Amino acid sequence: MCGKMAAGKSTHAKVLAQAKHAVLLVQDDLLAALYPGEILIIPDFVKYSARLREALTPHITALLKQGVSVVLDFPGNTRIQRQWFRALFEGANVEHELHFIDTPDELCKRQLKQRSAALPAGSAWTTDAEFEAITVYFQAPAEDENFRVVLHERR
């Protein structure tokens, strides 16, 4: 999955996994279970998500080699993050799709506010400033990366 925060990646991943009869792996769920209360700032996320990718790589590769379709609800929002995706499908010698959910910032921000409204009182939520701080790192997939991109434009 590739798309800005609150672009609709997780929703799309669930639908895709069901349609493809695939195993769905959700980074946010795994991180929350493994490191509860430990991811407080962006460097924490970077550190723990790297550990998770390293631990899961042989397992995902094995699933793919066995012909099991896998949908990764992991961000592929930078070239570096997408290198991990490439290592997985090339390591298993299988086809791939990179689903790019192209969503304008204003729609993402509206969806963040809607998501936050459903949280219990006192829960942490993502502000517009945090969205902006994270979005500066976003890199749309480029042609020279040679991914099979499936584009989903949301307006």
Coordinates of all heavy atoms in Angstrom, one line a residue, residues 62-94:
A62 N 8.2 -17.0 2.9 CA 7.8 -18.4 2.9 C 6.4 -18.5 2.4 O 6.0 -19.4 1.6 CB 8.0 -19.0 4.2
L63 N 5.5 -17.7 2.9 CA 4.1 -17.7 2.5 C 4.0 -17.5 1.0 O 3.3 -18.2 0.3 CB 3.2 -16.6 3.2 CG 2.9 -16.9 4.7 CD1 2.4 -15.6 5.3 CD2 2.0 -18.0 4.9
L64 N 4.7 -16.5 0.5 CA 4.6 -16.2 -1.0 C 5.2 -17.3 -1.8 O 4.6 -17.7 -2.8 CB 5.4 -14.9 -1.3 CG 4.8 -13.6 -0.7 CD1 5.8 -12.5 -0.9 CD2 3.5 -13.3 -1.3
K65 N 6.2 -18.0 -1.3 CA 6.8 -19.1 -2.1 C 5.9 -20.3 -2.1 O 5.9 -21.1 -3.0 CB 8.1 -19.5 -1.4 CG 9.3 -18.6 -1.7 CD 10.6 -19.1 -1.1 CE 11.7 -18.2 -1.5 NZ 13.0 -18.7 -0.9
Q66 N 5.0 -20.4 -1.1 CA 4.0 -21.5 -1.0 C 2.7 -21.1 -1.8 O 1.8 -21.9 -1.9 CB 3.6 -21.8 0.4 CG 4.7 -22.4 1.2 CD 5.2 -23.7 0.6 OE1 4.3 -24.6 0.3 NE2 6.5 -23.9 0.5
G67 N 2.7 -20.0 -2.5 CA 1.6 -19.6 -3.3 C 0.5 -18.9 -2.5 O -0.6 -18.7 -3.1
V68 N 0.7 -18.5 -1.3 CA -0.3 -17.8 -0.5 C -0.2 -16.3 -0.8 O 0.9 -15.7 -0.7 CB 0.0 -18.0 1.0 CG1 -1.0 -17.2 1.9 CG2 -0.1 -19.5 1.4
S69 N -1.3 -15.7 -1.2 CA -1.4 -14.3 -1.4 C -1.3 -13.5 -0.1 O -2.0 -13.9 0.8 CB -2.6 -13.9 -2.2 OG -2.6 -14.5 -3.5
V70 N -0.6 -12.5 -0.1 CA -0.4 -11.7 1.1 C -0.7 -10.2 0.8 O -0.2 -9.7 -0.2 CB 1.0 -11.8 1.7 CG1 1.2 -10.9 2.9 CG2 1.3 -13.3 2.0
V71 N -1.6 -9.6 1.6 CA -1.8 -8.1 1.5 C -1.1 -7.5 2.7 O -1.4 -7.9 3.8 CB -3.3 -7.8 1.4 CG1 -3.5 -6.3 1.5 CG2 -3.9 -8.4 0.2
L72 N -0.2 -6.6 2.4 CA 0.5 -5.9 3.5 C -0.1 -4.5 3.7 O 0.0 -3.7 2.8 CB 2.0 -5.8 3.1 CG 2.7 -7.1 3.0 CD1 4.1 -6.9 2.5 CD2 2.8 -7.9 4.3
D73 N -0.7 -4.3 4.8 CA -1.1 -3.0 5.2 C 0.0 -2.4 6.0 O 0.0 -2.2 7.2 CB -2.4 -3.0 6.1 CG -3.0 -1.7 6.4 OD1 -2.4 -0.7 5.9 OD2 -3.9 -1.6 7.1
F74 N 1.1 -2.2 5.3 CA 2.3 -1.5 5.7 C 2.5 -0.3 4.8 O 2.3 -0.5 3.6 CB 3.5 -2.5 5.6 CG 3.7 -3.5 6.6 CD1 2.7 -4.5 6.8 CD2 4.8 -3.5 7.5 CE1 2.9 -5.5 7.8 CE2 4.9 -4.5 8.5 CZ 4.0 -5.4 8.6
P75 N 3.1 0.8 5.3 CA 3.3 1.9 4.4 C 4.4 1.7 3.4 O 5.5 1.2 3.8 CB 3.6 3.1 5.3 CG 4.2 2.4 6.5 CD 3.5 1.1 6.6
G76 N 4.1 1.9 2.1 CA 5.1 2.0 1.1 C 5.2 3.4 0.6 O 5.1 3.7 -0.6
N77 N 5.4 4.3 1.5 CA 5.3 5.7 1.2 C 6.6 6.4 0.9 O 6.6 7.6 0.6 CB 4.6 6.4 2.4 CG 3.2 6.0 2.6 OD1 2.6 5.4 1.7 ND2 2.7 6.1 3.8
T78 N 7.7 5.7 0.9 CA 9.0 6.3 0.5 C 9.7 5.2 -0.3 O 9.3 4.0 -0.2 CB 9.9 6.6 1.7 OG1 10.2 5.4 2.4 CG2 9.2 7.6 2.7
R79 N 10.6 5.6 -1.1 CA 11.4 4.7 -1.9 C 12.1 3.6 -1.0 O 12.1 2.4 -1.3 CB 12.5 5.4 -2.7 CG 12.0 6.1 -3.9 CD 13.2 6.9 -4.6 NE 12.7 7.4 -5.8 CZ 12.9 6.8 -7.0 NH1 13.5 5.6 -7.1 NH2 12.5 7.4 -8.1
I80 N 12.6 4.0 0.2 CA 13.2 3.1 1.1 C 12.2 2.1 1.6 O 12.5 0.9 1.6 CB 13.9 3.9 2.2 CG1 15.1 4.6 1.7 CG2 14.3 2.9 3.3 CD1 15.8 5.6 2.7
Q81 N 11.0 2.5 2.0 CA 10.0 1.5 2.4 C 9.7 0.6 1.3 O 9.5 -0.6 1.6 CB 8.8 2.3 2.9 CG 9.0 3.0 4.2 CD 7.8 3.8 4.6 OE1 7.0 4.4 3.8 NE2 7.5 4.0 5.9
R82 N 9.6 1.0 0.1 CA 9.2 0.2 -1.0 C 10.3 -0.8 -1.4 O 10.0 -1.9 -2.0 CB 8.8 1.0 -2.2 CG 7.5 1.7 -2.0 CD 6.9 2.4 -3.2 NE 7.7 3.5 -3.7 CZ 7.5 4.8 -3.3 NH1 6.6 5.1 -2.4 NH2 8.3 5.8 -3.8
Q83 N 11.5 -0.5 -1.0 CA 12.6 -1.5 -1.2 C 12.3 -2.8 -0.5 O 12.7 -3.9 -0.9 CB 14.0 -0.9 -0.8 CG 14.5 0.1 -1.7 CD 15.8 0.8 -1.2 OE1 16.2 0.5 -0.1 NE2 16.3 1.7 -1.9
W84 N 11.7 -2.7 0.7 CA 11.4 -3.9 1.5 C 10.4 -4.7 0.7 O 10.5 -5.9 0.6 CB 10.9 -3.5 2.9 CG 10.5 -4.7 3.7 CD1 11.3 -5.8 4.1 CD2 9.2 -5.0 4.2 NE1 10.6 -6.7 4.8 CE2 9.3 -6.3 4.9 CE3 7.9 -4.4 4.1 CZ2 8.2 -6.8 5.6 CZ3 6.9 -5.0 4.8 CH2 7.0 -6.2 5.5
F85 N 9.3 -4.1 0.1 CA 8.4 -4.8 -0.7 C 9.0 -5.5 -1.8 O 8.8 -6.7 -2.1 CB 7.3 -3.8 -1.3 CG 6.4 -3.2 -0.3 CD1 5.7 -2.0 -0.6 CD2 6.2 -3.7 1.0 CE1 4.9 -1.4 0.3 CE2 5.3 -3.0 1.9 CZ 4.7 -1.9 1.5
R86 N 9.9 -4.8 -2.5 CA 10.7 -5.4 -3.6 C 11.4 -6.7 -3.1 O 11.4 -7.7 -3.8 CB 11.6 -4.4 -4.3 CG 12.4 -5.0 -5.4 CD 13.1 -4.0 -6.3 NE 12.1 -3.1 -6.9 CZ 11.3 -3.4 -7.9 NH1 11.2 -4.6 -8.4 NH2 10.4 -2.5 -8.4
A87 N 12.1 -6.6 -2.0 CA 12.9 -7.7 -1.5 C 12.0 -8.9 -1.2 O 12.4 -10.0 -1.5 CB 13.6 -7.3 -0.2
L88 N 10.8 -8.6 -0.8 CA 9.8 -9.7 -0.5 C 9.4 -10.5 -1.8 O 9.6 -11.7 -1.9 CB 8.6 -9.2 0.2 CG 8.8 -8.7 1.6 CD1 7.5 -8.0 2.1 CD2 9.2 -9.8 2.6
F89 N 8.9 -9.7 -2.8 CA 8.4 -10.4 -3.9 C 9.5 -10.9 -4.8 O 9.4 -12.0 -5.4 CB 7.3 -9.6 -4.7 CG 7.8 -8.3 -5.4 CD1 8.5 -8.4 -6.6 CD2 7.5 -7.1 -4.9 CE1 8.9 -7.2 -7.2 CE2 7.9 -5.9 -5.5 CZ 8.6 -6.0 -6.7
E90 N 10.6 -10.2 -4.9 CA 11.7 -10.8 -5.6 C 12.4 -12.0 -5.0 O 12.7 -13.0 -5.6 CB 12.8 -9.7 -5.9 CG 12.4 -8.7 -6.9 CD 13.4 -7.6 -7.2 OE1 14.5 -7.6 -6.5 OE2 13.2 -6.9 -8.2
G91 N 12.4 -12.0 -3.6 CA 12.9 -13.1 -2.9 C 12.1 -14.4 -3.0 O 12.6 -15.5 -3.0
A92 N 10.8 -14.2 -3.2 CA 9.9 -15.3 -3.4 C 9.7 -15.6 -4.9 O 9.0 -16.6 -5.2 CB 8.6 -15.0 -2.8
N93 N 10.2 -14.7 -5.8 CA 10.0 -14.9 -7.2 C 8.5 -14.9 -7.6 O 8.1 -15.9 -8.3 CB 10.7 -16.1 -7.8 CG 10.9 -16.1 -9.3 OD1 11.0 -15.0 -9.9 ND2 10.9 -17.2 -9.9
V94 N 7.7 -13.9 -7.1 CA 6.3 -13.9 -7.4 C 5.9 -12.5 -8.0 O 6.7 -11.6 -7.9 CB 5.5 -14.2 -6.1 CG1 5.7 -15.6 -5.6 CG2 5.8 -13.1 -5.0

